[in-house]
């Protein structure tokens, strides 16, 4: 009896052992009290007991359904956090070419190949039917007939190389409007870049003067008046000042003082100009302004070295330097360390508003991380064998940030990797000359990719349209942000398909209706002509066609410009790219000088402009 009690109550083996002992006790009890049936019942009970035992054992070893669901939720949450860090600049290259963890039955696997597409990645469709046209019409008066004596216009540009280029281009048009002789513009030597170069050290000054001789008279320096140098009156015009604005504000001063210098001259001329003035802009920007021989020679050397590696290559203006990221106010996944470092840089702009990183990224105002740029290019069809030239300064996070991009595109180059220190020595101490080298390579590339819509991006986009619509890719950051955020929850094929859909209208194709404000330097529609047969092929461009695709150039240009001007004041700082930001005025400029006959009432508005933010990130 004691032994039977021990068998019933004994529990040394855990849940399974206790259950087994209880089963044996029950069977013994059944044999004793069922008489003749005792031979069959034990066998039946033994089989049933074994089955029950196996079920009990499985229940102990298997997690409950609720536990499994909780485990899956944790995995999804971990992947989402990991993606947010990665999609916002995860600077750890953790095997992008390898299979990512499975989420909800889907696998996000980045292929090494770009896939087989029905289109040519290296050309724009129908580009052969469009060409740049900037010759003056018969009614456009020549400089010989319209230039007035003793009327000299001087220009002081501002910003980096490409921001200054917009100022130089518009200076020629302003001189034409004022019937004035233009003095070769002064380059900005005091801004963030601290480049001491003069105009003739960056641009071919003799070509600049001779090519535009029929349009505007240009001289290298002010002439003397009675043995004394003229002392130009310094003033500033408002942003987007049109022809009437120059005639009403600047011309009276010019007639009184004979020499006027316009300061901080960038984006001081309206987009809304008649077609002949727009074409003059194009003649300046695309023909008259050429870099000096040493810059051109070194730039061509870099291009030839890229071509020797591959017949086609991508040039990427990455623009992921600390100043750009700080100014954008965006969050790139670096945590407290990133916020502290970029916050310190951000303090350079005293009047910069507080940032809302999430809002900025939702609205597409944040540059893509290097990894995101790489994923976009792969989704568009560029494989790992493609050679990429990166035009960039010091990338925030260095090689750790670049690692995911290099994993996707191992053929990764820059001017520092394809040229020696000795070759770059004549340029390396001058930021504008180094920027000019990158400009040449980006211009000559088969595909140009820009990671922000700054001055260099705009100038190159317009130039590449003018010279054959070479593909120019600008990320549709607003749409891509949402896609990057959820990329691990969908298969690669779906991700790539969505990227290609989002990028329609952002590839630099002919008649591409770009969203935004129609900046003329980016989209010089008045200087783009189409061959008659282009209209017969228009149906091929159905994906990018919109309601206004049938309107003539002038009407489209006016509508785009109108939208641009109307929303200019609402533009966020990180999209202004020099078009709405001044440098701080010098003390003597802000005080101004009084003019006789009440002329200071015309210029008073110019002196009372509020100091605007210093433009650093645009070039």
């Amino acid at each position: 009896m004691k032994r039977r009690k021990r068998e019933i109550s004994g529990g040394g083996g855990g849940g399974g052992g206790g259950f087994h002992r209880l089963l044996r006790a029950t069977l013994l009890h059944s044999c004793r009290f069922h008489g003749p049936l005792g031979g069959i019942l034990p066998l039946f009970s033994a089989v049933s007991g074994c089955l029950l035992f196996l079920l009990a054992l499985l229940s102990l070893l298997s997690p409950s359904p609720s536990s499994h669901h909780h485990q899956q939720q944790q995995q999804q949450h971990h992947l989402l956090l990991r993606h947010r860090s990665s999609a916002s600049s995860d600077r750890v290259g953790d095997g992008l070419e390898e299979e990512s963890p499975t989420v909800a039955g889907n696998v996000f696997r980045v292929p090494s190949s770009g896939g087989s597409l029905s289109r040519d990645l290296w050309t724009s469709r129908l580009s052969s039917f469009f060409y740049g046209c900037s010759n003056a019409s018969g009614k456009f008066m020549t400089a010989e007939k319209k230039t007035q004596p003793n009327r000299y216009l001087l220009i002081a540009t501002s910003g980096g190389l490409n921001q200054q280029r917009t100022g130089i281009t518009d200076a020629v048009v302003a001189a034409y409007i004022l019937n004035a002789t233009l003095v070769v513009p002064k380059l900005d030597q005091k801004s963030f870049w601290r480049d001491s170069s003069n105009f003739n050290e960056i641009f071919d000054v003799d070509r600049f003067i001779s090519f535009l001789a029929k349009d505007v008279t240009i001289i290298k320096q002010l002439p003397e008046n009675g043995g004394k140098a003229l002392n130009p009156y310094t003033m500033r015009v408002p942003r987007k000042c049109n022809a009437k604005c120059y005639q009403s504000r600047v011309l009276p001063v010019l007639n009184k003082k004979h020499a006027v210098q316009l300061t901080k001259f960038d984006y001081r001329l309206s987009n809304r100009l008649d077609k002949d003035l727009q074409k003059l802009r194009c003649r300046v920007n695309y023909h008259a302004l050429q870099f000096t021989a040493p810059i051109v020679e070194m730039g061509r050397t870099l291009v030839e070295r890229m071509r020797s590696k591959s017949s086609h290559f991508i040039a990427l203006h990455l623009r992921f330097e600390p100043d750009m990221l700080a100014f954008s106010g965006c969050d790139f996944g670096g945590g407290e360390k990133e916020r502290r470092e970029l916050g310190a840089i951000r303090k350079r702009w005293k009047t910069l508003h507080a940032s809302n990183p999430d809002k900025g990224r939702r609205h597409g105002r944040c540059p893509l991380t290097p990894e995101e740029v790489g994923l976009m290019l792969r989704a568009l069809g560029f494989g790992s064998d493609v050679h990429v030239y990166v035009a960039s300064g010091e990338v925030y996070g260095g090689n750790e940030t670049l690692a995911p991009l290099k994993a996707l595109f191992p053929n990764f180059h820059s001017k520092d990797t394809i040229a020696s220190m000795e070759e770059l020595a004549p340029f390396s101490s001058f930021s504008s000359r180094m920027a000019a080298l990158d400009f040449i390579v980006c211009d000559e590339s088969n595909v140009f990719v820009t990671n922000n819509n700054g001055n260099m991006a705009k100038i190159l986009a317009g130039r590449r349209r003018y010279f054959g619509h070479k593909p120019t890719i600008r990320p549709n950051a607003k749409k891509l942000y949402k896609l990057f955020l959820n990329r691990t929850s969908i298969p690669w094929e779906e991700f790539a398909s969505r990227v290609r859909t989002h990028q329609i209208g952002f590839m630099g194709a002919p008649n591409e209706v770009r969203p935004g404000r129609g900046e003329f330097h980016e989209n010089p529609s008045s200087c783009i002509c189409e061959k008659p047969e282009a209209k017969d092929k228009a149906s091929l461009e159905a994906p990018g066609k919109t309601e206004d695709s049938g309107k003539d150039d002038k009407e489209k240009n006016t509508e785009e410009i109108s939208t641009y001007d109307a929303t200019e004041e609402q533009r966020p700082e990180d999209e202004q790219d020099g078009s709405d930001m001044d440098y701080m005025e010098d003390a003597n400029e802000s005080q101004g000088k009084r003019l006789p006959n009440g002329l200071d009432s015309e210029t008073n508005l110019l002196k009372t402009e509020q100091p605007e933010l210093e433009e650093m990130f645009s070039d």
Side-chain angles (χ1 to χ4, degrees):
M1 190 67 172
K2 288 181 181 179
R3 189 172 117 189
R4 185 161 57 87
K5 285 183 179 179
R6 282 198 303 270
E7 288 175 346
I8 295 174
S9 60
F19 177 83
H20 182 60
R21 290 182 177 85
L22 179 63
L23 182 61
R24 286 178 60 193
T26 304
L27 291 174
L28 289 172
H29 177 77
S30 176
C31 290
R32 287 183 181 183
F33 290 97
H34 287 82
L37 297 176
I40 299 174
L41 288 176
L43 179 63
F44 176 78
S45 299
V47 172
S48 301
C50 289
L51 292 174
L52 288 173
F53 173 72
L54 288 173
L55 289 173
L57 186 62
L58 287 172
S59 68
L60 289 172
L61 296 177
S62 303
S64 66
S66 60
S67 173
H68 176 72
H69 179 69
H70 177 68
Q71 207 171 35
Q72 190 177 49
Q73 281 187 324
Q74 281 188 323
Q75 184 186 29
Q76 290 180 356
H77 181 65
H78 169 72
L79 285 171
L80 182 61
L81 289 177
R82 180 184 173 194
H83 166 67
R84 283 177 176 170
S85 174
S86 175
S88 301
S89 188
D90 181 0
R91 289 179 287 277
V92 179
D94 53 355
L96 291 173
E97 300 292 321
E98 297 177 0
E99 185 174 300
S100 301
T102 301
V103 180
N106 292 322
V107 174
F108 185 83
R109 183 189 180 96
V110 184
S112 60
S113 169
S116 177
L117 301 178
S118 59
R119 59 187 175 81
D120 184 359
L121 295 171
W122 302 104
T123 60
S124 295
R125 297 174 69 185
L126 305 183
S127 60
S128 61
F129 296 104
F130 296 83
Y131 59 96
C133 52
S134 59
N135 291 335
S137 69
K139 64 180 181 180
F140 194 69
M141 291 182 64
T142 63
E144 184 180 7
K145 293 180 179 180
K146 73 189 304 292
T147 304
Q148 298 295 314
N150 296 320
R151 194 182 286 183
Y152 300 99
L153 182 68
L154 295 85
I155 298 294
T157 62
S158 64
L161 174 66
N162 296 288
Q163 188 174 339
Q164 293 185 84
R165 190 178 186 118
T166 63
I168 295 167
T169 298
D170 290 349
V172 175
V173 181
Y176 185 90
I177 292 170
L178 296 167
N179 299 336
T181 294
L182 178 67
V183 180
V184 171
K186 292 182 179 179
L187 299 188
D188 186 352
Q189 299 175 339
K190 298 180 180 179
S191 66
F192 169 78
W193 291 273
R194 301 292 177 185
D195 192 316
S196 61
S197 301
N198 294 316
F199 187 99
N200 62 347
E201 293 173 305
I202 302 291
F203 301 105
D204 185 338
V205 66
D206 292 327
R207 177 181 174 81
F208 179 69
I209 294 172
S210 62
F211 190 90
L212 297 169
K214 290 183 179 180
D215 300 313
V216 173
T217 300
I218 305 175
I219 58 177
K220 294 183 179 180
Q221 58 185 17
L222 270 177
E224 292 184 350
N225 185 12
K228 295 182 180 179
L230 288 172
N231 185 24
Y233 177 80
T234 300
M235 61 182 293
R236 191 184 304 181
V237 292
R239 298 281 182 179
K240 306 298 184 286
C241 195
N242 59 23
K244 290 183 178 179
C245 169
Y246 276 89
Q247 290 165 352
S248 64
R249 294 175 182 270
V250 182
L251 189 55
V253 182
L254 197 55
N255 286 332
K256 289 285 183 181
K257 306 300 290 185
H258 303 299
V260 170
Q261 176 171 282
L262 302 179
T263 63
K264 314 302 181 189
F265 198 81
D266 60 326
Y267 297 95
R268 299 287 169 176
L269 183 63
S270 174
N271 280 302
R272 196 177 303 216
L273 300 173
D274 67 51
K275 198 164 188 176
D276 263 326
L277 291 179
Q278 299 287 46
K279 286 181 177 290
L280 176 56
R281 259 178 169 157
C282 295
R283 290 197 294 279
V284 179
N285 201 2
Y286 306 137
H287 298 285
L289 271 180
Q290 291 190 0
F291 295 120
T292 58
I295 293 175
V296 170
E297 183 179 347
M298 189 65 223
R300 286 176 178 169
T301 298
L302 297 176
V303 172
E304 288 170 3
R305 289 177 184 173
M306 288 300 299
R307 295 254 183 257
S308 68
K309 299 177 184 298
S310 177
S311 58
H312 298 89
F313 72 93
I314 293 174
L316 167 62
H317 189 215
L318 189 56
R319 206 59 179 99
F320 209 72
E321 295 91 344
D323 64 287
M324 172 65 184
L325 306 190
F327 196 96
S328 72
C330 299
D331 183 5
F332 298 94
E336 181 58 33
K337 180 176 181 291
E338 177 190 287
R339 285 190 288 273
R340 184 174 63 253
E341 292 173 349
L342 298 184
I345 300 173
R346 195 172 169 82
K347 291 178 182 177
R348 295 176 184 172
W349 299 279
K350 295 181 181 179
T351 55
L352 196 61
H353 64 75
S355 65
N356 185 334
D358 291 336
K359 182 178 179 181
R361 191 167 287 277
R362 286 197 309 271
H363 289 198
R365 296 169 186 163
C366 300
L368 271 58
T369 67
E371 179 186 3
E372 290 169 340
V373 172
L375 290 173
M376 177 192 71
L377 291 176
R378 178 71 90 253
L380 289 173
F382 297 99
S384 60
D385 59 331
V386 170
H387 287 256
V388 178
Y389 177 94
V390 177
S392 176
E394 178 188 357
V395 173
Y396 181 68
N399 288 328
E400 195 175 5
T401 299
L402 290 173
L405 177 59
K406 289 182 177 180
L408 286 163
F409 294 95
N411 299 311
F412 189 92
H413 314 281
S414 69
K415 56 182 174 292
D416 297 313
T417 64
I418 61 175
S420 66
M421 292 179 62
E422 291 75 18
E423 289 175 310
L424 295 175
F427 314 96
S428 57
S429 299
F430 304 94
S431 60
S432 290
R433 300 181 205 185
M434 293 290 275
L437 296 179
D438 278 338
F439 185 97
I440 292 172
V441 181
C442 290
D443 186 36
E444 292 293 329
S445 66
N446 301 93
V447 171
F448 173 58
V449 182
T450 172
N451 196 23
N452 82 315
N453 202 29
N455 290 303
M456 181 171 173
K458 289 177 181 177
I459 293 290
L460 277 169
R463 183 178 177 86
R464 290 171 67 88
R465 286 177 183 275
Y466 184 84
F467 290 108
H469 283 90
K470 293 183 289 185
T472 301
I473 300 173
R474 180 167 66 91
N476 184 354
K478 184 175 182 180
K479 293 288 184 66
L480 292 179
Y481 157 67
K482 298 176 183 178
L483 188 56
F484 284 129
L485 184 63
N486 300 302
R487 75 173 189 250
T488 53
S489 64
I490 58 176
W492 170 259
E493 291 75 15
E494 182 179 348
F495 172 85
S497 177
R498 290 187 187 181
V499 168
R500 290 193 288 270
T501 299
H502 293 332
Q503 283 302 120
I504 293 174
F506 290 77
M507 304 291 285
N511 279 341
E512 181 180 78
V513 181
R514 298 174 66 87
R517 301 154 184 90
E519 172 64 53
F520 182 78
H521 294 287
E522 181 181 16
N523 186 18
S525 56
S526 296
C527 303
I528 305 295
C529 295
E530 61 181 279
K531 299 176 183 178
E533 56 266 37
K535 294 180 180 178
D536 299 332
K537 301 286 185 179
S539 60
L540 295 178
E541 286 295 285
K545 196 173 182 180
T546 61
E547 293 179 359
D548 65 347
S549 60
K551 299 178 181 179
D552 59 38
D553 285 345
K554 184 175 181 180
E555 186 179 353
K556 282 172 62 178
N557 191 49
T558 301
E559 286 187 357
E560 290 174 351
I561 290 169
S562 177
T563 306
Y564 182 92
D565 290 340
T567 57
E568 190 63 35
E569 294 303 321
Q570 303 172 18
R571 297 179 72 190
E573 278 75 4
D574 61 334
E575 285 190 351
Q576 288 172 340
D577 307 316
S579 58
D580 273 341
M581 286 174 282
D582 283 345
Y583 291 89
M584 296 291 288
E585 295 186 59
D586 295 332
N588 61 336
E589 290 179 353
S590 61
Q591 292 173 3
K593 304 174 184 178
R594 293 192 61 82
L595 287 175
N597 301 329
L599 283 176
D600 61 331
S601 63
E602 286 289 338
T603 59
N604 190 46
L605 175 63
L606 311 180
K607 301 171 191 175
T608 57
E609 285 184 335
Q610 293 296 319
E612 298 172 358
L613 301 175
E614 182 179 15
E615 161 47 51
M616 281 180 57
F617 66 96
S618 58
D619 286 277

